[in-house]
Amino acid sequence: MGAEGADRRYWWLLGAIVVLGLALRIAGAQGALWLDEAWSAKQAHDAGTPLAIFLNINHDNNHHLNSLWLLLVGFDAPPPLARALSIVTGTLAILVAAMIGARRSLALGLITALLFAVSPALVTLGSEARGYAPMSLALLMAILLVDRWLAGEAERSPALALAICFFLGAFSQLIMFFGFCAIAGWVFFALWRRESFKAAVLRTMRLLLPSAIALGLVAVIILGAAAAHTGFKFGRYDPYDTMGLLHGVSELVQYVVGLPVVSIWWFAAIPALVILAPSAGVSRIAFHRLAILAFPLALVLLRPGNVAHPRYYLLVGIALLILIAEFLWLGWRAGGWKRWLAAGALAAITAASLALDMDLAINRRGDPGAAIRAMQARAPQGTHLLLDRETGIATLEAAAASAHYPLQVQLADCTAARFFFADRFRGEEPPRLIALCGAHYAPIAEAHAHGMSGTHWTLYERQP
């Protein structure tokens, strides 16, 4: 087959992979908004204006560009529409990942695209109303621009384009700052190998100074707004814990490649891949070392809080997918038993990832909308709902708004509440029976969330 035929087949295959990735994200976007999404929607609704999103929320749950989208579509938007920004940017990220891989080979482009299309972590984050998918797209664009520039293929300096990527990425999710550090180090070490230390420093600064200014502007806007009000707030803050960090990274790795069980031992396999990468012929070694190894190690040294959240290690996951794709392509190209091993590994990752993707589509993050439907069936004209803690307020209000169901959510005065809702995090179980105000509440509906997102919940009804 000639080059033209190979290119045509490449685009057909890439198109099929992108359609698959889009379908998985749409399937994963069903069901009512879960806890973090719902609070983002409520914060955007309460802010009321685009300017207020930047100046008045001052909360780590505010992913600014995502909040702007939620404000635009409205608090009562159908869940797939509320998640549309992530669906679109998550799907576009598959194309950019393919472009990164295709710089070495069209086959590598397809392998990279497939891994990004089916990765349960990216499907999850690409189908929920949060800022991780837009941030991922911005980060991948920055990687592509830098890769071309380091190879001498850029017609002009991508400094301004990179600044836009980092600015939009940081206003999507602040972990973009970690991505900047990894990319800046990658540029410096790549140039230092070719040139003097001084030349590498100067060229890195010329390329990335606009990006640093853009990120500085993001920090000034966020911190300045927080200082002008009551400070910056966290939905939950947990002190540093090394085991928590290892578990967070390991869980992210599990959902990146579809591993069936969470174990901190997955983390032990990551350094081995990075160490073997240079001898195997993998490119972008400095980037992988910084993003996959140095980033978690820096957190160990700095000891910040909230290190157990898997999604905070999305930089590790993105770099790992690019690295694994290149390993698989190199094995395929080598032929013999390495080709069979690479093909088997790609098939196993794809099958395992699709299994978790299907579970997400079926489970719907525990879909709190089912609680609304249960109340609608028993009280179609609307009702009062009692909660035992405030975490569920936004979840139920958002679900009721999207279903256009009149629901009065309250934390007190159980005398007026026909229904009681208990939401629980992992490791917590709700009571089977509840006694309040001389009455008993029995469970009528419940759900347990699977995967990276969602909370467990049980809905109770007052018994006669």
Side-chain angles (χ1 to χ4, degrees):
M1 181 181 294
E4 183 178 344
D7 287 347
R8 188 181 302 113
R9 186 173 64 174
Y10 169 78
W11 287 110
W12 276 108
L13 290 171
L14 178 58
I17 291 171
V18 172
V19 169
L20 171 64
L22 173 61
L24 292 174
R25 284 155 179 79
I26 292 174
Q30 307 306 308
L33 305 185
W34 75 285
L35 177 69
D36 287 359
E37 296 175 293
W39 277 107
S40 294
K42 182 173 177 59
Q43 288 171 338
H45 174 71
D46 292 346
T49 67
L51 184 61
I53 284 174
F54 288 89
L55 299 181
N56 295 345
I57 297 180
N58 306 315
H59 196 285
D60 72 324
N61 203 55
N62 179 25
H63 301 172
H64 295 76
L65 296 188
N66 178 67
S67 296
L68 288 174
W69 174 255
L70 292 172
L71 177 65
L72 175 65
V73 300
F75 191 59
D76 61 348
L81 179 59
R83 293 160 169 157
L85 176 64
S86 290
I87 294 171
V88 171
T89 54
T91 303
L92 290 175
I94 301 169
L95 282 170
V96 179
M99 295 170 69
I100 293 172
R103 291 184 42 71
R104 289 197 72 176
S105 162
L106 294 182
L108 177 54
L110 293 175
I111 294 171
T112 309
L114 179 60
L115 293 182
F116 273 79
V118 304
S119 169
L122 298 187
V123 170
T124 299
L125 300 178
S127 61
E128 63 184 33
R130 305 284 281 147
Y132 296 97
M135 189 283 296
S136 298
L137 176 61
L139 178 61
L140 287 167
M141 281 299 305
I143 293 171
L144 179 63
L145 289 169
V146 167
D147 207 31
R148 287 175 171 172
W149 183 78
L150 287 173
E153 299 172 7
E155 295 181 1
R156 59 180 64 88
S157 171
L160 178 58
L162 284 170
I164 295 172
C165 287
F166 285 112
F167 185 78
L168 295 177
F171 268 132
S172 297
Q173 224 296 331
L174 291 177
I175 57 176
M176 189 69 175
F177 279 82
F178 303 139
F180 171 79
C181 294
I183 288 178
W186 170 30
V187 171
F188 168 72
F189 285 114
L191 292 176
W192 192 14
R193 290 187 61 185
R194 309 174 194 172
E195 307 169 8
S196 67
F197 176 86
K198 180 179 179 180
V201 170
L202 292 176
R203 292 191 65 194
T204 301
M205 290 181 61
R206 280 198 297 268
L207 178 68
L208 294 174
L209 181 59
S211 297
I213 293 173
L215 290 176
L217 180 59
V218 171
V220 167
I221 292 172
I222 293 175
L223 296 178
H229 292 80
T230 57
F232 194 78
K233 298 185 177 72
F234 292 88
R236 177 176 175 177
Y237 185 84
D238 298 315
Y240 173 82
D241 175 63
T242 300
M243 290 304 297
L245 183 150
L246 291 174
H247 192 275
V249 176
S250 300
E251 187 171 345
L252 188 279
V253 171
Q254 177 208 3
Y255 286 109
V256 161
V257 293
L259 294 169
V261 179
V262 177
S263 169
I264 62 171
W265 295 109
W266 297 131
F267 185 75
I270 299 174
L273 281 178
V274 179
I275 291 170
L276 291 173
S279 59
V282 172
S283 56
R284 310 177 192 92
I285 297 299
F287 173 72
H288 292 310
R289 287 171 175 168
L290 291 167
I292 300 174
L293 298 183
F295 168 41
L297 180 60
L299 296 182
V300 172
L301 298 175
L302 295 173
R303 303 177 69 83
N306 287 349
V307 294
H309 297 293
R311 59 190 61 217
Y312 289 173
Y313 303 99
L314 185 54
L315 170 63
V316 175
I318 288 174
L320 189 61
L321 282 178
I322 295 172
L323 177 65
I324 291 173
E326 201 161 358
F327 262 114
L328 294 175
W329 172 72
L330 289 167
W332 177 265
R333 191 180 66 166
W337 66 269
K338 291 183 179 180
R339 171 170 292 191
W340 286 104
L341 179 62
L346 179 59
I349 291 173
T350 302
S353 296
L354 288 173
L356 290 180
D357 294 337
M358 291 301 99
D359 183 60
L360 170 67
I362 295 169
N363 178 256
R364 299 184 174 190
R365 301 173 179 82
D367 188 13
I372 301 299
R373 293 189 290 273
M375 287 184 283
Q376 280 180 312
R378 291 164 173 81
Q381 301 306 314
T383 190
H384 289 254
L385 175 68
L386 178 67
L387 306 180
D388 65 343
R389 56 189 186 188
E390 63 180 358
T391 53
I393 293 176
T395 307
L396 272 299
E397 288 183 349
S402 65
H404 303 287
Y405 178 65
L407 179 67
Q408 182 65 45
V409 177
Q410 56 198 57
L411 288 170
D413 188 17
C414 59
T415 57
R418 177 177 173 181
F419 299 96
F420 183 94
F421 183 87
D423 64 319
R424 294 294 184 264
F425 299 111
R426 292 181 184 179
E428 300 177 340
E429 290 296 332
R432 297 312 302 169
L433 290 174
I434 295 175
L436 287 171
C437 296
H440 290 277
Y441 289 78
I444 58 172
E446 65 180 355
H448 280 70
H450 303 164
M452 294 180 66
S453 303
T455 48
H456 312 324
W457 59 266
T458 302
L459 178 68
Y460 304 79
E461 184 177 17
R462 183 196 296 264
Q463 300 303 294

